[in-house]
Amino acid sequence: MITISLCMIVKNEEEVLRQCLSSVAPAINEIIIVDTGSTDGTKQIAKEFKARIFDFEWVDDFAKARQYAFDQATSDYILWLDADDQLSEIDMRKLIKLKRELPVEVDAVSMLYHISFDAAGTPNFTYRRNRLVKRERGFRWIGAVHEYLEVGGNILASDIAVRHMKSTKQKLLPSTRRNLEIYERRKAKGEEFNPRDLFYYANELKDHGDFGSAVVYYDKFLETRKGWVEDEIRACLNLYDCQNALGRPELAFAALLRTMNYDVPRPEASCKIGDTFKGKARYREAAFWYRLAFEVNVQDSQGFVLPHYSTWYPHLQLVVCCWELGDQRQAIYHNDKAGEYLPDSPQVKHNRDFFDVFFKDKPSPTLDQPEPTRL
């Protein structure tokens, strides 16, 4: 059985740290807590879990802080989490099982990261991160902001999921400008941004409402042609949002088409193209793109996944499109498909009630319903 060091960097995390550590402690051999300046009860909570606590002077560089934490680890493998991350009971048991069975030739293990959830608690925004790495490989953290762990070798993709659970304070406070200010201080010093910096700086500008500047930096990033393909696709999707916010619908639509320079049409882009045509009452074109959203074969990627764009959302939009095109059978079919994903959806129920009233004195097209034909 391997041993695992949990390495974390923290600051003023008393609201969430206990839940985080409790959720993973049974699988961990040692806990390394690197504190960057807490003034609350964070360290006291860490002591409850017999953590090894180190102070680290904050230097506007997340990678340096994380690397310092990694440098203190002594176990075979290192797991990293943020204080507002948790494992469910099921995922904690999976981690213990992995700990017993992990082949010695595995250099790193990627895990799912669920960062937001719908009202039923189902993840609606997910991507993968390399979470567990072999200490002797000496993998390094890179990037002052939105840092990443550069790994290589034999990487195992596990089905273990880490859940990002925002604290009450995080939910109530406006989005912090910390990351944006770090980038702007670096820019003021004349530092040259690499492609990844350009992308994440643009994201920070967008998140803080500076859409014009975000457009400039997304374009600079894409012009380098040196970005990760998932970031390039996301940049185009974010450009769509920025151009719409700036009142430039034609450029927003062009940004969606631009995603196809990098891969097959992604479900999110397909749905937004469908939305554009549906908004113009061009239902035939819209239906094509909505269908593509759940029919296209997207290979497994490490990028962001928003499941609703390939499940219930395009089916609900097809209800309207098919009805407007006179194909009542397909409208009912797609409403039923949406209901398979969202059985308690008020919109699905509303559509069913509408169909019941409409077909009250008419032959129902739902009898012996075949698969829908293609538009």
Short mmCIF file of all heavy atoms in Angstrom, two decimals, residues 20-59:
data_model
loop_
_atom_site.label_atom_id
_atom_site.label_comp_id
_atom_site.label_asym_id
_atom_site.label_seq_id
_atom_site.Cartn_x
_atom_site.Cartn_y
_atom_site.Cartn_z
N CYS A 20 -13.13 19.93 4.99
CA CYS A 20 -12.20 19.43 3.98
C CYS A 20 -11.35 18.31 4.55
O CYS A 20 -11.28 17.20 3.99
CB CYS A 20 -11.31 20.56 3.47
SG CYS A 20 -9.97 20.01 2.39
N LEU A 21 -10.70 18.56 5.68
CA LEU A 21 -9.79 17.58 6.25
C LEU A 21 -10.54 16.33 6.73
O LEU A 21 -10.05 15.20 6.57
CB LEU A 21 -9.00 18.20 7.39
CG LEU A 21 -8.03 19.32 6.99
CD1 LEU A 21 -7.33 19.91 8.22
CD2 LEU A 21 -7.02 18.85 5.97
N SER A 22 -11.73 16.51 7.28
CA SER A 22 -12.51 15.37 7.74
C SER A 22 -12.87 14.44 6.58
O SER A 22 -12.94 13.22 6.74
CB SER A 22 -13.80 15.84 8.43
OG SER A 22 -13.51 16.59 9.59
N SER A 23 -13.10 15.04 5.42
CA SER A 23 -13.58 14.26 4.27
C SER A 23 -12.49 13.38 3.66
O SER A 23 -12.79 12.45 2.91
CB SER A 23 -14.14 15.19 3.20
OG SER A 23 -13.10 15.85 2.48
N VAL A 24 -11.23 13.66 3.98
CA VAL A 24 -10.12 12.95 3.33
C VAL A 24 -9.15 12.30 4.31
O VAL A 24 -8.38 11.42 3.94
CB VAL A 24 -9.37 13.91 2.38
CG1 VAL A 24 -8.55 14.92 3.17
CG2 VAL A 24 -8.53 13.18 1.37
N ALA A 25 -9.20 12.68 5.58
CA ALA A 25 -8.21 12.24 6.57
C ALA A 25 -8.05 10.72 6.67
O ALA A 25 -6.92 10.24 6.83
CB ALA A 25 -8.54 12.83 7.94
N PRO A 26 -9.12 9.92 6.58
CA PRO A 26 -8.93 8.47 6.72
C PRO A 26 -8.01 7.86 5.66
O PRO A 26 -7.50 6.75 5.86
CB PRO A 26 -10.35 7.92 6.58
CG PRO A 26 -11.23 9.03 7.05
CD PRO A 26 -10.56 10.27 6.55
N ALA A 27 -7.80 8.56 4.55
CA ALA A 27 -6.95 8.02 3.48
C ALA A 27 -5.54 8.60 3.50
O ALA A 27 -4.73 8.24 2.65
CB ALA A 27 -7.60 8.30 2.12
N ILE A 28 -5.24 9.48 4.45
CA ILE A 28 -4.00 10.26 4.41
C ILE A 28 -3.04 9.83 5.51
O ILE A 28 -3.43 9.57 6.64
CB ILE A 28 -4.35 11.76 4.56
CG1 ILE A 28 -5.28 12.22 3.44
CG2 ILE A 28 -3.08 12.61 4.58
CD1 ILE A 28 -4.74 12.00 2.04
N ASN A 29 -1.74 9.80 5.17
CA ASN A 29 -0.71 9.46 6.15
C ASN A 29 -0.12 10.68 6.84
O ASN A 29 0.29 10.61 8.01
CB ASN A 29 0.41 8.68 5.47
CG ASN A 29 -0.08 7.35 4.94
OD1 ASN A 29 -0.48 7.26 3.78
ND2 ASN A 29 -0.09 6.32 5.77
N GLU A 30 -0.03 11.81 6.13
CA GLU A 30 0.43 13.04 6.77
C GLU A 30 -0.24 14.22 6.08
O GLU A 30 -0.59 14.17 4.89
CB GLU A 30 1.95 13.19 6.72
CG GLU A 30 2.54 13.52 5.39
CD GLU A 30 4.03 13.89 5.47
OE1 GLU A 30 4.57 14.07 6.58
OE2 GLU A 30 4.64 14.01 4.39
N ILE A 31 -0.46 15.27 6.86
CA ILE A 31 -1.09 16.49 6.34
C ILE A 31 -0.09 17.62 6.47
O ILE A 31 0.43 17.90 7.56
CB ILE A 31 -2.38 16.83 7.11
CG1 ILE A 31 -3.41 15.69 6.97
CG2 ILE A 31 -2.96 18.16 6.64
CD1 ILE A 31 -4.64 15.88 7.84
N ILE A 32 0.17 18.28 5.34
CA ILE A 32 1.06 19.45 5.29
C ILE A 32 0.19 20.68 5.05
O ILE A 32 -0.49 20.79 4.03
CB ILE A 32 2.08 19.32 4.15
CG1 ILE A 32 2.84 18.00 4.20
CG2 ILE A 32 3.02 20.52 4.13
CD1 ILE A 32 3.72 17.84 5.40
N ILE A 33 0.21 21.61 5.99
CA ILE A 33 -0.54 22.86 5.86
C ILE A 33 0.45 24.01 5.78
O ILE A 33 1.23 24.24 6.71
CB ILE A 33 -1.50 23.09 7.05
CG1 ILE A 33 -2.56 21.98 7.13
CG2 ILE A 33 -2.15 24.47 6.95
CD1 ILE A 33 -3.57 22.00 6.00
N VAL A 34 0.43 24.72 4.65
CA VAL A 34 1.27 25.91 4.48
C VAL A 34 0.36 27.13 4.59
O VAL A 34 -0.54 27.31 3.77
CB VAL A 34 2.01 25.88 3.13
CG1 VAL A 34 2.66 27.23 2.84
CG2 VAL A 34 3.06 24.78 3.14
N ASP A 35 0.58 27.90 5.63
CA ASP A 35 -0.28 29.05 5.92
C ASP A 35 0.38 30.33 5.41
O ASP A 35 1.53 30.61 5.72
CB ASP A 35 -0.53 29.15 7.42
CG ASP A 35 -1.61 30.15 7.75
OD1 ASP A 35 -1.32 31.37 7.70
OD2 ASP A 35 -2.75 29.74 8.04
N THR A 36 -0.38 31.11 4.63
CA THR A 36 0.19 32.32 4.03
C THR A 36 -0.25 33.60 4.75
O THR A 36 -0.17 34.68 4.17
CB THR A 36 -0.20 32.41 2.54
OG1 THR A 36 -1.63 32.51 2.43
CG2 THR A 36 0.28 31.18 1.77
N GLY A 37 -0.68 33.46 6.00
CA GLY A 37 -0.99 34.67 6.77
C GLY A 37 -2.34 34.68 7.44
O GLY A 37 -2.98 35.74 7.55
N SER A 38 -2.81 33.55 7.95
CA SER A 38 -4.13 33.50 8.59
C SER A 38 -4.17 34.32 9.87
O SER A 38 -3.20 34.37 10.64
CB SER A 38 -4.50 32.04 8.91
OG SER A 38 -4.72 31.30 7.74
N THR A 39 -5.32 34.94 10.10
CA THR A 39 -5.55 35.69 11.33
C THR A 39 -6.76 35.14 12.09
O THR A 39 -7.20 35.72 13.07
CB THR A 39 -5.77 37.17 11.02
OG1 THR A 39 -6.86 37.31 10.09
CG2 THR A 39 -4.52 37.80 10.43
N ASP A 40 -7.32 34.02 11.61
CA ASP A 40 -8.48 33.41 12.26
C ASP A 40 -8.05 32.07 12.90
O ASP A 40 -6.89 31.90 13.25
CB ASP A 40 -9.63 33.21 11.27
CG ASP A 40 -9.27 32.24 10.15
OD1 ASP A 40 -8.13 31.73 10.12
OD2 ASP A 40 -10.14 31.99 9.28
N GLY A 41 -8.96 31.14 13.02
CA GLY A 41 -8.66 29.88 13.69
C GLY A 41 -8.18 28.77 12.78
O GLY A 41 -8.24 27.58 13.16
N THR A 42 -7.68 29.11 11.61
CA THR A 42 -7.25 28.09 10.65
C THR A 42 -6.20 27.15 11.23
O THR A 42 -6.30 25.92 11.12
CB THR A 42 -6.70 28.77 9.38
OG1 THR A 42 -7.77 29.47 8.72
CG2 THR A 42 -6.12 27.76 8.42
N LYS A 43 -5.17 27.69 11.85
CA LYS A 43 -4.08 26.85 12.36
C LYS A 43 -4.57 25.93 13.48
O LYS A 43 -4.12 24.78 13.60
CB LYS A 43 -2.92 27.71 12.84
CG LYS A 43 -2.14 28.40 11.74
CD LYS A 43 -0.95 29.16 12.31
CE LYS A 43 -0.13 29.83 11.24
NZ LYS A 43 1.03 30.57 11.77
N GLN A 44 -5.46 26.42 14.32
CA GLN A 44 -5.98 25.60 15.40
C GLN A 44 -6.73 24.38 14.85
O GLN A 44 -6.61 23.27 15.38
CB GLN A 44 -6.90 26.42 16.31
CG GLN A 44 -6.18 27.42 17.20
CD GLN A 44 -5.55 28.58 16.43
OE1 GLN A 44 -6.07 29.00 15.38
NE2 GLN A 44 -4.44 29.12 16.94
N ILE A 45 -7.49 24.60 13.80
CA ILE A 45 -8.22 23.49 13.18
C ILE A 45 -7.23 22.49 12.58
O ILE A 45 -7.38 21.28 12.73
CB ILE A 45 -9.19 24.01 12.09
CG1 ILE A 45 -10.30 24.83 12.75
CG2 ILE A 45 -9.77 22.85 11.27
CD1 ILE A 45 -11.16 25.60 11.78
N ALA A 46 -6.20 22.99 11.92
CA ALA A 46 -5.19 22.11 11.34
C ALA A 46 -4.53 21.26 12.41
O ALA A 46 -4.24 20.06 12.21
CB ALA A 46 -4.15 22.93 10.58
N LYS A 47 -4.29 21.84 13.60
CA LYS A 47 -3.66 21.10 14.69
C LYS A 47 -4.54 19.95 15.17
O LYS A 47 -4.04 18.91 15.63
CB LYS A 47 -3.35 22.04 15.85
CG LYS A 47 -2.21 23.02 15.58
CD LYS A 47 -2.02 23.99 16.74
CE LYS A 47 -0.92 25.00 16.43
NZ LYS A 47 -0.78 26.01 17.51
N GLU A 48 -5.87 20.12 15.06
CA GLU A 48 -6.78 19.04 15.46
C GLU A 48 -6.53 17.77 14.65
O GLU A 48 -6.82 16.66 15.12
CB GLU A 48 -8.24 19.48 15.28
CG GLU A 48 -8.68 20.61 16.18
CD GLU A 48 -10.09 21.08 15.84
OE1 GLU A 48 -10.81 20.32 15.13
OE2 GLU A 48 -10.48 22.18 16.28
N PHE A 49 -6.03 17.95 13.44
CA PHE A 49 -5.78 16.82 12.55
C PHE A 49 -4.30 16.42 12.53
O PHE A 49 -3.87 15.70 11.65
CB PHE A 49 -6.26 17.16 11.14
CG PHE A 49 -7.75 17.28 11.03
CD1 PHE A 49 -8.41 18.46 11.35
CD2 PHE A 49 -8.52 16.19 10.61
CE1 PHE A 49 -9.79 18.57 11.26
CE2 PHE A 49 -9.89 16.29 10.52
CZ PHE A 49 -10.53 17.49 10.84
N LYS A 50 -3.56 16.93 13.52
CA LYS A 50 -2.13 16.61 13.67
C LYS A 50 -1.34 16.97 12.40
O LYS A 50 -0.41 16.26 12.00
CB LYS A 50 -1.93 15.14 14.03
CG LYS A 50 -2.56 14.77 15.37
CD LYS A 50 -2.34 13.31 15.69
CE LYS A 50 -2.77 12.99 17.13
NZ LYS A 50 -4.17 13.35 17.41
N ALA A 51 -1.74 18.08 11.79
CA ALA A 51 -1.05 18.54 10.59
C ALA A 51 0.32 19.11 10.94
O ALA A 51 0.52 19.66 12.04
CB ALA A 51 -1.89 19.59 9.87
N ARG A 52 1.23 19.01 10.00
CA ARG A 52 2.50 19.73 10.09
C ARG A 52 2.26 21.10 9.45
O ARG A 52 1.89 21.20 8.28
CB ARG A 52 3.59 18.97 9.35
CG ARG A 52 3.89 17.60 9.93
CD ARG A 52 4.85 16.84 9.03
NE ARG A 52 6.11 17.58 8.84
CZ ARG A 52 6.91 17.43 7.79
NH1 ARG A 52 6.59 16.59 6.81
NH2 ARG A 52 8.03 18.12 7.70
N ILE A 53 2.45 22.15 10.24
CA ILE A 53 2.08 23.50 9.81
C ILE A 53 3.34 24.32 9.54
O ILE A 53 4.26 24.36 10.37
CB ILE A 53 1.20 24.19 10.88
CG1 ILE A 53 -0.06 23.34 11.15
CG2 ILE A 53 0.82 25.60 10.42
CD1 ILE A 53 -0.86 23.81 12.34
N PHE A 54 3.34 24.99 8.40
CA PHE A 54 4.48 25.83 8.01
C PHE A 54 3.95 27.21 7.62
O PHE A 54 2.89 27.32 7.00
CB PHE A 54 5.22 25.22 6.81
CG PHE A 54 5.77 23.85 7.06
CD1 PHE A 54 4.98 22.73 6.90
CD2 PHE A 54 7.09 23.69 7.47
CE1 PHE A 54 5.48 21.46 7.14
CE2 PHE A 54 7.60 22.42 7.71
CZ PHE A 54 6.79 21.30 7.54
N ASP A 55 4.68 28.25 7.98
CA ASP A 55 4.34 29.61 7.56
C ASP A 55 5.11 29.93 6.28
O ASP A 55 6.27 29.56 6.11
CB ASP A 55 4.69 30.61 8.65
CG ASP A 55 3.80 30.48 9.85
OD1 ASP A 55 2.57 30.38 9.68
OD2 ASP A 55 4.33 30.44 10.99
N PHE A 56 4.42 30.66 5.39
CA PHE A 56 5.04 31.03 4.11
C PHE A 56 4.66 32.47 3.80
O PHE A 56 3.47 32.82 3.76
CB PHE A 56 4.53 30.11 2.99
CG PHE A 56 5.15 30.38 1.64
CD1 PHE A 56 6.37 29.83 1.29
CD2 PHE A 56 4.50 31.20 0.71
CE1 PHE A 56 6.94 30.07 0.04
CE2 PHE A 56 5.05 31.45 -0.53
CZ PHE A 56 6.28 30.88 -0.86
N GLU A 57 5.66 33.31 3.62
CA GLU A 57 5.39 34.72 3.30
C GLU A 57 4.85 34.82 1.88
O GLU A 57 5.48 34.37 0.93
CB GLU A 57 6.66 35.55 3.44
CG GLU A 57 6.43 37.04 3.20
CD GLU A 57 7.70 37.85 3.36
OE1 GLU A 57 8.73 37.29 3.77
OE2 GLU A 57 7.66 39.07 3.07
N TRP A 58 3.67 35.43 1.76
CA TRP A 58 3.01 35.53 0.45
C TRP A 58 3.80 36.44 -0.49
O TRP A 58 4.17 37.55 -0.12
CB TRP A 58 1.59 36.05 0.62
CG TRP A 58 0.84 36.13 -0.68
CD1 TRP A 58 0.36 37.25 -1.28
CD2 TRP A 58 0.49 35.03 -1.53
NE1 TRP A 58 -0.27 36.93 -2.46
CE2 TRP A 58 -0.20 35.56 -2.64
CE3 TRP A 58 0.70 33.65 -1.47
CZ2 TRP A 58 -0.69 34.78 -3.67
CZ3 TRP A 58 0.20 32.86 -2.49
CH2 TRP A 58 -0.47 33.42 -3.58
N VAL A 59 4.06 35.96 -1.72
CA VAL A 59 4.87 36.71 -2.68
C VAL A 59 4.16 36.83 -4.03
O VAL A 59 4.79 36.90 -5.08
CB VAL A 59 6.25 36.04 -2.88
CG1 VAL A 59 7.11 36.21 -1.63
CG2 VAL A 59 6.11 34.57 -3.27
#
